[in-house]
Amino acid sequence: MKSIEEHILKDQSEIQSAKEAGDTPKVRHLTEELHSLEEYKEHHKEEIEAGDHHDPNALELFCDANPDEPECLVYDD
């Protein structure tokens, strides 16, 4: 995806298609992903308003939700 907004729209569309197809596991996965994207967008409003609309990767979403996890800590030398 080129932007977080594009990814959100794609997930919403795919959730609807998966519901129509009766694919419950896919609906559950996409719903969780959509929730993470919307939370990320809410937490990074200022950056998005400043023009940063990048589509966050899985690590960015994870660290946004779990900033104290070892994978997310940044150490200065």
Side-chain angles (χ1 to χ4, degrees), residues 59 62-63 66-75:
L59 182 60
F62 175 78
C63 289
N66 306 285
D68 293 330
E69 289 296 317
E71 302 94 320
C72 306
L73 298 176
V74 178
Y75 298 96

Side-chain angles (χ1 to χ4, degrees), residues 27-60:
V27 170
R28 187 173 38 252
H29 167 76
L30 290 169
T31 301
E32 289 173 11
E33 182 177 281
L34 180 60
H35 176 72
S36 294
L37 287 167
E38 289 172 339
E39 264 189 354
Y40 183 91
K41 187 175 177 182
E42 181 66 29
H43 294 163
H44 297 270
K45 263 186 192 176
E46 291 178 12
E47 295 167 21
I48 292 170
E49 289 172 359
D52 181 9
H53 295 270
H54 81 279
D55 184 20
N57 62 38
L59 182 60
E60 288 175 293

Side-chain angles (χ1 to χ4, degrees), residues 9-22:
L9 290 174
K10 179 181 170 278
D11 279 1
Q12 289 170 337
S13 173
E14 287 187 14
I15 287 170
Q16 187 59 36
S17 296
K19 282 181 180 177
E20 291 170 4

